[in-house]
Amino acid sequence: MKKDIKIPKVENVTLAVACTINKLNQEEWSVHLINRNEYDIENTLVSSTGYGEQDGEQQKTSTLRHFLETVPARSSILIEPITADIFHLNNEFWVSYYVDGRIYDKKFIFLPDTIKEENLIYIKELDTKGVLHS
């Protein structure tokens, strides 16, 4: 039965949208997966999409999928660049990975207009400021 299936809880794995300044002194935004565990996570799949509404019109981005063979313990890895033009949308990232043969998955959603200057915090794993998904 469905109630007998034990779904493990995702802990110490999160996403961050970080901002850096490039050589032309322009902001560059990117999405990073952060593994704060003491162990590697394996065969990680990340699916990303944006959706929402602007001026009464529905908008949706393409769905991107990324495969990461191993994300080492206590590390971060770049998932994809992201443009500020879509920060007004729900930016959804579905992350699935394996630890000791068990699958874990979690949906992370950055709500509209949460990725902005006043929400930036220092993220030590990336050594830059960004919005950390809680």
Side-chain angles (χ1 to χ4, degrees):
M1 294 289 202
K2 191 174 180 180
K3 65 180 170 84
D4 296 324
I5 298 172
K6 291 190 171 48
I7 300 171
K9 183 179 178 185
V10 170
E11 294 180 318
N12 300 317
V13 173
T14 192
L15 290 178
V17 177
C19 182
T20 55
I21 304 298
N22 66 18
K23 293 177 183 176
L24 300 173
N25 207 29
Q26 299 169 328
E27 289 183 341
E28 287 185 346
W29 293 87
S30 53
V31 181
H32 300 262
L33 177 71
I34 300 172
N35 178 11
R36 292 179 170 162
N37 290 299
E38 297 295 331
Y39 48 83
D40 298 349
I41 60 176
E42 305 288 338
N43 300 321
T44 304
L45 294 171
V46 181
S47 175
S48 65
T49 191
Y51 57 89
E53 187 178 300
Q54 185 175 38
D55 299 327
E57 191 172 316
Q58 290 294 316
Q59 294 183 334
K60 186 172 178 165
T61 67
S62 298
T63 298
L64 302 176
R65 293 175 182 86
H66 308 276
F67 175 74
L68 311 166
E69 192 168 333
T70 300
V71 180
R74 299 252 171 229
S75 72
S76 65
I77 192 162
L78 173 68
I79 301 296
E80 65 187 28
I82 189 170
T83 177
D85 295 343
I86 63 167
F87 290 168
H88 67 280
L89 299 174
N90 291 293
N91 286 282
E92 177 182 294
F93 299 86
W94 194 288
V95 178
S96 298
Y97 60 90
Y98 286 86
V99 175
D100 294 329
R102 292 189 73 190
I103 191 166
Y104 292 73
D105 70 1
K106 183 173 180 177
K107 187 187 308 183
F108 298 89
I109 301 175
F110 291 91
L111 297 174
D113 299 317
T114 56
I115 306 169
K116 56 186 174 182
E117 187 71 33
E118 55 263 27
N119 292 337
L120 298 182
I121 60 169
Y122 179 75
I123 303 169
K124 66 180 179 181
E125 293 90 350
L126 305 176
D127 191 28
T128 191
K129 288 187 174 186
V131 176
L132 188 63
H133 198 283
S134 53

